[in-house]
Amino acid sequence: LLLIILVSSSSAFLTPSRLLASRSPALLPRSTRSVLRQSNTRAQLWRVPVYWAGVFQDMAAAGRSMMGGKTTKMSASAAAEGAPVFTASPSVPSWDALKEAAGGSATGKRLLAERAERAKGGGGRTESDVRVVLYRDHAAWCPYCQKTWLLMEEKQIPYRIEKINMRSYGDKPDWFLQKVPRGLLPAVEIDGKMMTESLQIMQTLDQMFPTDNMMLPYGDKAKMGLAQDLLGLERELFGAWCSYVFQPGERAKGLFESTMSRVDKALGATPGPWFLGGDYPTLVDMQYVSHIERMLPSCLYWKGMRIRGSGKYPNVDAWFAAFEERPTYVATKGDFYTHVTDIPPQYGLPRPAGRRRRPLHTQDRRKRARGMVAPPPPPLRRLARAVLECWNPGEEGARHEAALKLSEGGEKVSKFACRVYGGEVGK
């Protein structure tokens, strides 16, 4: 479709060489690799996230099909100067045509139908039924927000969402700090009263909105004791993961593996896939899943340790498979690439296995805050490619959803991309 590469002298942007350093070239679309080979070494990529490479690839393929195989070409003057500026063929499809193509896919049709249903206000709920406001992060990175969100979806609690930026992306808005002086996320407002700390929020919501699927076995003393023990084990696992991923070398590997084995054993001690047994996940499962979801890609990418599908933790594998059968979880789940890049701005830069991390300079800190991370050693890249398919069983649908949303905002995207030219261009 359109991959607009603009020239800028600012070192704060990502150069093609640094882009390749942040993602293995084999993971980029062929057309993107070709553009990068043609580009001048001083050229800067105008904040185009690598994550969108797959989306652009799909949309480019649709565009080429609609154009009979034609593609955009580099202008002769730009090529002579070495600047990677492209001119579009007159037969390039419009944003409206791309929107129609994306909306015509199975995923697009489903999303448009759901949107129409929401607009009608169906479901038997009214605005007066909404007693809860959930304040969560914009990008859905925060694991504590995810587990709170997941619980409300499982219990079908009517709620409204307000999105707040994480601290790694600037100061919190003043109006939110007036409500939550420490700026913590998640936060919920229940009947006008504010509450923070995800575990307390989840227990409060569970008791305030009783349903058939209660999240804790309040009337069973033995099971409540088991739940408390399992919640303590989750904190041990989180600590072992931090020690392993954020320390150099393999010094904490044994502790992390032994703790994971204890978690796997706990899952195997009850019938069914869930920690407390039963037919549905409880608060204990939700406490674990948001962090283990992030452990899988981080351990694989930074340390070369494959957890899911390794054969070492069969009960964890079955537990994840059971979660992925639930639409409530799939709706909140992140992807492999996102979790590799969202961990550094939240927790700091992990230490790759077998490598010594160099001191971070000011510019490195800025990159870390944007989620730009160094590549793993080449063998780990191959491991990462091997796991992408099982990590994202619905990636095609996700790309179609992203393509639909991107095409709907096409005019704004075009203006944003053209503003570098100044003047009336991009207004």
Side-chain angles (χ1 to χ4, degrees):
L1 173 67
L2 297 174
L3 178 58
I4 303 173
I5 302 181
L6 306 173
V7 177
S8 170
S9 59
S10 170
S11 62
F13 300 135
L14 193 61
T15 64
S17 59
R18 290 173 185 163
L19 174 62
L20 290 176
S22 70
R23 184 176 178 183
S24 170
L27 294 180
L28 293 170
R30 183 179 301 172
S31 57
T32 306
R33 299 201 298 270
S34 175
V35 168
L36 292 175
R37 285 195 296 271
Q38 295 175 18
S39 63
N40 187 293
T41 55
R42 286 176 55 95
Q44 309 288 334
L45 188 65
W46 182 256
R47 299 189 185 213
V48 178
V50 182
Y51 175 78
W52 287 98
V55 176
F56 283 124
Q57 184 183 32
D58 278 4
M59 296 182 73
R64 283 195 295 272
S65 175
M66 297 167 70
M67 295 184 296
K70 296 180 182 179
T71 58
T72 57
K73 298 180 180 180
M74 181 185 289
S75 65
S77 59
E81 297 174 5
V85 180
F86 292 77
T87 58
S89 165
S91 58
V92 169
S94 66
W95 282 113
D96 287 338
L98 290 170
K99 178 181 176 181
E100 183 179 355
S105 69
T107 298
K109 291 177 180 177
R110 176 180 58 80
L111 292 171
L112 293 174
E114 290 175 357
R115 188 180 300 174
E117 185 68 20
R118 284 196 298 272
K120 291 192 303 183
R125 302 282 190 174
T126 65
E127 186 68 20
S128 61
D129 294 323
V130 180
R131 299 170 55 195
V132 180
V133 179
L134 170 64
Y135 298 88
R136 70 167 178 84
D137 61 307
H138 275 280
W141 283 4
C142 173
Y144 304 97
C145 294
Q146 182 187 6
K147 64 186 71 173
T148 306
W149 181 15
L150 178 56
L151 179 137
M152 289 195 289
E153 286 292 328
E154 282 285 340
K155 290 180 68 71
Q156 297 185 14
I157 298 172
Y159 65 97
R160 187 182 299 109
I161 285 181
E162 293 285 351
K163 297 178 182 178
I164 308 294
N165 60 282
M166 300 181 73
R167 292 191 188 279
S168 51
Y169 284 95
D171 295 332
K172 309 278 184 179
D174 290 338
W175 66 265
F176 178 69
L177 292 176
Q178 291 177 6
K179 291 176 175 287
V180 185
R182 296 173 61 192
L184 298 176
L185 293 176
V188 296
E189 189 171 359
I190 307 174
D191 297 333
K193 296 181 179 179
M194 298 299 302
M195 176 180 292
T196 58
E197 303 296 341
S198 60
L199 195 56
Q200 295 179 18
I201 291 172
M202 294 164 75
Q203 292 182 62
T204 299
L205 290 173
D206 191 32
Q207 294 180 38
M208 287 188 67
F209 297 89
T211 54
D212 291 338
N213 59 335
M214 294 300 288
M215 294 290 111
L216 284 173
Y218 300 102
D220 190 325
K221 187 174 181 181
K223 273 198 171 183
M224 279 296 287
L226 174 61
Q228 290 292 342
D229 291 342
L230 289 169
L231 292 173
L233 178 58
E234 189 275 334
R235 289 292 81 192
E236 290 184 49
L237 180 64
F238 179 76
W241 170 72
C242 288
S243 297
Y244 178 46
V245 171
F246 297 101
Q247 289 186 22
E250 302 292 297
R251 66 178 65 176
K253 180 179 180 180
L255 175 61
F256 178 73
E257 288 183 322
S258 63
T259 310
M260 273 298 304
S261 295
R262 290 168 59 198
V263 171
D264 190 75
K265 183 178 179 180
L267 278 168
T270 54
W274 312 115
F275 277 102
L276 297 181
D279 300 325
Y280 59 86
T282 64
L283 183 149
V284 174
D285 298 282
M286 296 171 196
Q287 181 76 359
Y288 274 84
V289 73
S290 61
H291 278 124
I292 295 185
E293 177 184 309
R294 288 153 177 79
M295 292 174 191
L296 302 185
S298 60
C299 288
L300 180 67
Y301 188 88
W302 295 104
K303 298 294 188 178
M305 176 191 289
R306 186 167 185 171
I307 299 173
R308 189 175 183 183
S310 66
K312 294 182 179 179
Y313 313 107
N315 296 313
V316 172
D317 289 350
W319 177 71
F320 252 111
F323 256 121
E324 289 174 338
E325 292 294 321
R326 306 186 74 84
T328 52
Y329 171 67
V330 174
T332 69
K333 179 188 174 199
D335 61 272
F336 182 97
Y337 177 75
T338 295
H339 286 324
V340 167
T341 55
D342 71 23
I343 286 173
Q346 296 180 81
Y347 298 104
L349 196 63
R351 302 286 188 97
R355 282 187 166 189
R356 180 177 297 174
R357 186 177 67 173
R358 292 179 296 177
L360 292 174
H361 301 297
T362 303
Q363 183 173 331
D364 295 321
R365 294 194 190 98
R366 288 200 298 268
K367 291 179 186 176
R368 180 179 61 180
R370 293 190 183 97
M372 303 173 189
V373 297
L380 301 194
R381 292 181 187 154
R382 291 194 294 271
L383 257 176
R385 288 199 295 273
V387 82
L388 283 176
E389 184 175 353
C390 73
W391 181 258
N392 283 312
E395 180 151 345
E396 181 179 357
R399 287 183 176 184
H400 290 174
E401 180 178 358
L404 178 62
K405 291 187 176 181
L406 180 64
S407 62
E408 288 175 333
E411 183 178 349
K412 294 180 180 179
V413 171
S414 298
K415 288 182 178 180
F416 178 83
C418 292
R419 67 179 185 167
V420 69
Y421 289 101
E424 295 300 313
V425 179
K427 290 189 177 179

